[in-house]
Amino acid sequence: MGAVSHDSMDTISLLALLLTLSAGFSILNYHTFRLPVTIGVLVFSLLASLLVMVLNPLIPAYDLQALPRSVLGAIDFPAALLNGVLSFLLFAGAMQVDVGHLRAKCASVVALSVLGTVLAVAFLAVAVWAVFSLLGQAIPFVWCIVLGAILAPTDPVSVVGMLKRLGLPGPVQAVFAGESLFNDGVGVVIFSVTIGLATGSSQGVNCSEIAWSFCREALGGALLGAVTGWIALRVVERQRDTHIDLLTSLALATGTFSIANQYGMSGPIAVVVAGLCFGSSYSKSICHEASGGDLDTAWGLIDEVLNVLLFMLIGFEILEIKPHFFTILATFAVIPLSLLVRALSVFFSTLPVHFRQWERGRVLSILTWGGLRGGISVSLALGLPGGEMRDVLLPVSYGVVVFTIIVQGLTMERVARSLYFPSNRL
């Protein structure tokens, strides 16, 4: 009994520490910068981490980084996000999407999330390979593809949170949210294939096997999400109880993600489709009105708490990075490249739509600047095997993520207003 109690206490203490820090950073942000809460928490966690890194060599008797590193080690950020928390975040994000608008913009969303992601990986790989060679530290091209896979997907947590503030037209919001919800699943699939090739664990794999693996994960995940979503709706339809509806939604999010991962399908894509089913207008029509409101409130609370914790941990993960002059230089070179690649991938993946209805490039501009990266990219980078390549790719990935969240995230409202509400420019 004593051992169980001790382990339980450790878990509770860890959770208490994280929630206390996130609450403290939120309060500091409220009384100082007044940034959106997730970005404010990220900024303060970054400042706290940098302060620890600066003070640590000045106090040699104490290792100030020992505690935060032990906390990060206990959490195992990549596993916690990619195999756990992500199911809740994606499901909550999918429930907020207007399925009607998404259906109308289905072609654009598919083009952006599949073709756009593949193009972004390819363009960024070529650009990074050239830049690293010019900087005097060429790396194998397959590792450039890995970096492209890490940075290609936009982050659904960052994007959906941003859309709540902007007030963009419904169809544009649907394209934004739909792409960010689906392309992370595509990016994770590409990453899992390319990292195997880069490390040599997938030697002898040919193009047909890669294509089959991609189809199995992406299409299989979508089909699984549709089936589990349909089953959950049948359950909800026969009940008129708020608690059962909430428990069913929780079971749907976690169960769909778990089954997909168990059978080699894309958990992110599966849980997004399931969330779209559960957030559809049909779902709202069969749920009791009070139940629907309670569901939205509950999932909104889950989303907000997990978002804050996620962004705080992203800030603390800078302690895992070993800064070198080359990686700092490479990061400053890759940041503008990632913006250019984002613009090119959006443009070429949706070229027919541009000529017909994309309003003089407004959607291209806002999709480019709003292509925020976040926890998924950081998790993939942290999951790289230890060695020289990790020491190079992790700082670059982290730098791009922090830039997109802070700089692009904070200026996105100004960009949106200038493009869609010119009479109300800030």
Side-chain angles (χ1 to χ4, degrees):
M1 286 294 291
V4 174
S5 174
H6 178 72
D7 290 342
S8 176
M9 237 353 241
D10 285 345
T11 304
I12 292 172
S13 298
L14 180 61
L15 183 60
L17 176 62
L18 294 176
L19 290 173
T20 302
L21 286 172
S22 62
F25 291 155
S26 300
I27 293 168
L28 284 172
N29 174 61
Y30 179 81
H31 289 289
T32 54
F33 300 146
R34 292 293 183 98
L35 303 175
V37 63
T38 50
I39 298 179
V41 167
L42 170 63
V43 168
F44 275 102
S45 63
L46 273 172
L47 291 175
S49 300
L50 292 173
L51 181 62
V52 168
M53 293 173 71
V54 170
L55 292 179
N56 195 53
L58 302 178
I59 311 175
Y62 298 95
D63 185 2
L64 298 180
Q65 297 189 33
L67 175 61
R69 280 180 172 164
S70 66
V71 170
L72 293 175
I75 295 170
D76 190 1
F77 186 82
L81 178 63
L82 295 176
N83 296 324
V85 175
L86 191 59
S87 62
F88 293 102
L89 293 172
L90 291 176
F91 191 87
M95 282 188 63
Q96 299 174 41
V97 176
D98 187 310
V99 178
H101 287 313
L102 184 64
R103 190 183 299 116
K105 295 294 183 180
C106 181
S108 296
V109 171
V110 171
L112 284 166
S113 57
V114 180
L115 180 58
T117 304
V118 172
L119 288 176
V121 172
F123 291 159
L124 190 59
V126 172
V128 166
W129 182 80
V131 166
F132 278 28
S133 298
L134 289 174
L135 293 177
Q137 188 169 333
I139 64 174
F141 186 71
V142 67
W143 283 103
C144 296
I145 299 176
V146 170
L147 180 61
I150 291 172
L151 294 177
T154 54
D155 185 64
V157 178
S158 307
V159 171
V160 173
M162 177 184 65
L163 289 175
K164 294 178 184 177
R165 310 192 307 268
L166 296 182
L168 293 171
V172 178
Q173 288 196 41
V175 172
F176 238 133
E179 182 209 4
S180 67
L181 287 166
F182 282 107
N183 72 0
D184 63 293
V186 176
V188 169
V189 171
I190 297 173
F191 175 84
S192 64
V193 172
T194 54
I195 193 65
L197 296 174
T199 57
S201 60
S202 300
Q203 289 182 345
V205 177
N206 56 41
C207 292
S208 62
E209 290 175 333
I210 293 174
W212 164 245
S213 175
F214 182 85
C215 291
R216 185 189 71 245
E217 293 203 32
L219 299 180
L223 181 60
L224 174 65
V227 171
T228 55
W230 180 84
I231 293 172
L233 289 179
R234 298 285 75 76
V235 172
V236 169
E237 191 175 23
R238 297 173 181 274
Q239 319 294 330
R240 282 294 183 266
D241 187 285
T242 301
H243 299 94
I244 293 177
D245 292 348
L246 177 57
L247 288 171
T248 300
S249 67
L250 289 168
L252 176 61
T254 55
T256 301
F257 197 84
S258 178
I259 293 170
N261 288 340
Q262 190 72 26
Y263 290 96
M265 292 177 278
S266 172
I269 291 176
V271 82
V272 165
V273 174
L276 291 173
C277 292
F278 212 80
S280 64
S281 56
Y282 175 73
S283 173
K284 291 178 171 56
S285 69
I286 63 176
C287 283
H288 190 270
E289 184 175 347
S291 176
D294 289 342
L295 269 178
D296 290 340
T297 301
W299 276 102
L301 180 61
I302 292 171
D303 190 38
E304 289 293 332
V305 172
L306 292 179
N307 278 347
V308 170
L309 290 173
L310 172 63
F311 277 71
M312 183 182 68
L313 289 173
I314 290 175
F316 285 141
E317 289 294 346
I318 196 173
L319 295 171
E320 291 290 313
I321 294 173
K322 302 173 183 176
H324 298 288
F325 176 74
F326 171 77
T327 56
I328 294 172
L329 192 63
T331 300
F332 280 107
V334 173
I335 286 172
L337 280 178
S338 67
L339 279 170
L340 176 61
V341 163
R342 170 69 179 168
L344 292 174
S345 64
V346 170
F347 178 79
F348 284 110
S349 63
T350 55
L351 197 56
V353 183
H354 279 291
F355 289 127
R356 290 190 288 113
Q357 50 182 291
W358 272 38
E359 306 171 356
R360 298 189 305 276
R362 285 197 299 179
V363 176
L364 172 63
S365 300
I366 205 161
L367 281 174
T368 298
W369 194 248
L372 310 184
R373 280 71 163 189
I376 292 170
S377 294
V378 172
S379 295
L380 294 177
L382 287 169
L384 291 171
E388 183 183 357
M389 287 298 100
R390 186 181 192 272
D391 292 342
V392 172
L393 300 186
L394 175 56
V396 173
S397 302
Y398 191 87
V400 172
V401 168
V402 170
F403 176 86
T404 62
I405 293 175
I406 296 179
V407 177
Q408 293 174 228
L410 290 178
T411 56
M412 188 61 194
E413 185 172 356
R414 184 180 296 273
V415 173
R417 285 180 179 273
S418 66
L419 290 172
Y420 282 90
F421 314 102
S423 59
N424 297 321
R425 289 185 181 179
L426 295 175

